[in-house]
Amino acid sequence: MNSYGWSRTTAYAVGAAVLLATATGCAGGGDSGAASAALTAPGGTADPARSAAPSRPQGAPTPPPSAPPAPAAGDAAAWAKWNLTPLPPAPPAPADKPVKLRRTGPVPVFSEVRTDDKVVFLTIDDGAEKDPAFVEMLTDLKVPVSMFLTRDIVKDDYGYFKRLQALGNHVHNHTSGHAQLSRAAPEKQKAEVCDAQDALTRQYGTPPLLFRPPYGDGAHTPALNAVVRQCGPGAIVLWRESMQIHDMQYQAADRKLRPGDIVLAHFRGPKDLKGETMTQMFGELLARIQEQGFAVARLEDYIEAPAA
Ligand SMILES: [Zn+2]
């Protein structure tokens, strides 16, 4: 692990990054071809945490009040309801944030966060599918996600994402009209980023901290970087893995998650997922993460916003 949160991305050949990003980002459904593993979790029906809890003997000192639950610490029964094996609980948010954003200069571009914690971060793009069952799923499982919303895709129902925001999930900027930004004129680039920033700030009460260009396109160009800085977001966030229907596409040749990886998924439904629902897709994503022994942490817990 190196000393820069985003240097793995920076070292990555820009042309290849754009190609990969274009191949995997936001371009409709696509099956990775991986076989679909059943969501049924082995032995996932009981609640061992509850049944194994010993009763406290009389006269024993009162335990200190417990800390607020860490992300992804939903109880075993909740996971069993979705036929999933619980993920390990995420460690506490680091006090010294590995990513520190600044008010001036180029905004950083990164696809992963420097950390030794065995965690990955889940990001969900666009906002086309607005499945109430997904709100129920995140309410049950307490898995944190970061939402990169496109104004024109969510504006028919901003409220859906307020329900996800109310669970502690943050809203970020994914343009106003999902344009391919490297081909857009400077004024168009600015409208795509700034107009979305304004609309999302009005709707969700807080300015999006992060920006993701559609398809990852233009992420490494100085022109787009300057527009993002001007419009307000403090960083451009790409990804290391992209969830398809049953499994992720990995940029790493060994097809393994690494600590701090950012995973891309989409708000998609049966039309784009060959009949699978948003919650089935997301359940399979969690199963693939669980198989590799990772927890899901909240991306914003690892990022220090610029000083006021
Ligand atoms: Zn997109």
Side-chain angles (χ1 to χ4, degrees), residues 42-133:
T45 50
D47 184 352
R50 282 185 182 164
S51 56
S55 58
R56 191 163 56 91
Q58 278 195 330
T62 307
S66 57
D75 68 37
W79 289 80
K81 169 182 163 184
W82 295 93
N83 292 319
L84 291 166
T85 301
L87 295 181
D96 182 25
K97 309 299 183 195
V99 178
K100 295 176 171 63
L101 302 184
R102 306 191 193 293
R103 289 223 171 271
T104 57
V107 302
V109 184
F110 56 92
S111 307
E112 75 285 316
V113 170
R114 176 178 53 84
T115 179
D116 292 328
D117 295 344
K118 200 169 180 188
V119 299
V120 295
F121 306 101
L122 302 186
T123 63
I124 314 183
D125 280 15
D126 302 353
E129 181 73 358
K130 303 166 183 79
D131 184 351

Side-chain angles (χ1 to χ4, degrees), residues 26 125-126 174 178 214 266:
C26 313
D125 280 15
D126 302 353
H174 190 49
H178 213 267
H266 291 88

Side-chain angles (χ1 to χ4, degrees), residues 1-7 98 114:
M1 193 62 64
N2 53 57
S3 57
Y4 300 99
W6 45 84
S7 61
R114 176 178 53 84

Side-chain angles (χ1 to χ4, degrees), residues 63-252:
S66 57
D75 68 37
W79 289 80
K81 169 182 163 184
W82 295 93
N83 292 319
L84 291 166
T85 301
L87 295 181
D96 182 25
K97 309 299 183 195
V99 178
K100 295 176 171 63
L101 302 184
R102 306 191 193 293
R103 289 223 171 271
T104 57
V107 302
V109 184
F110 56 92
S111 307
E112 75 285 316
V113 170
R114 176 178 53 84
T115 179
D116 292 328
D117 295 344
K118 200 169 180 188
V119 299
V120 295
F121 306 101
L122 302 186
T123 63
I124 314 183
D125 280 15
D126 302 353
E129 181 73 358
K130 303 166 183 79
D131 184 351
F134 186 61
V135 180
E136 181 187 342
M137 186 181 209
L138 289 195
T139 304
D140 287 344
L141 303 184
K142 300 177 174 57
V143 172
V145 300
S146 302
M147 302 179 277
F148 288 80
L149 302 182
T150 298
R151 182 199 63 191
D152 292 350
I153 299 177
V154 302
K155 66 184 180 186
D156 63 337
D157 190 2
Y158 283 120
Y160 175 80
F161 303 94
K162 290 178 185 172
R163 296 165 65 195
L164 295 172
Q165 184 189 31
L167 300 175
N169 301 307
H170 293 242
V171 169
H172 301 291
N173 185 334
H174 190 49
T175 73
S176 56
H178 213 267
Q180 193 168 349
L181 293 177
S182 73
R183 298 184 180 178
E187 317 81 65
K188 169 74 169 169
Q189 285 195 351
K190 190 177 169 202
E192 283 282 326
V193 184
C194 281
D195 291 359
Q197 190 77 0
D198 293 346
L200 295 171
T201 302
R202 266 199 308 279
Q203 287 296 327
Y204 299 105
T206 180
L209 181 64
L210 308 172
F211 174 76
R212 173 176 285 157
Y215 323 104
D217 177 52
H220 295 280
T221 63
L224 180 59
N225 196 293
V227 163
V228 172
R229 168 62 78 202
Q230 188 181 357
C231 296
I236 295 173
V237 176
L238 300 175
W239 59 90
R240 297 296 301 181
E241 288 83 24
S242 168
M243 182 61 186
Q244 305 300 305
I245 300 177
H246 304 298
D247 200 355
M248 289 169 271
Q249 281 183 356
Y250 294 81
Q251 292 174 15

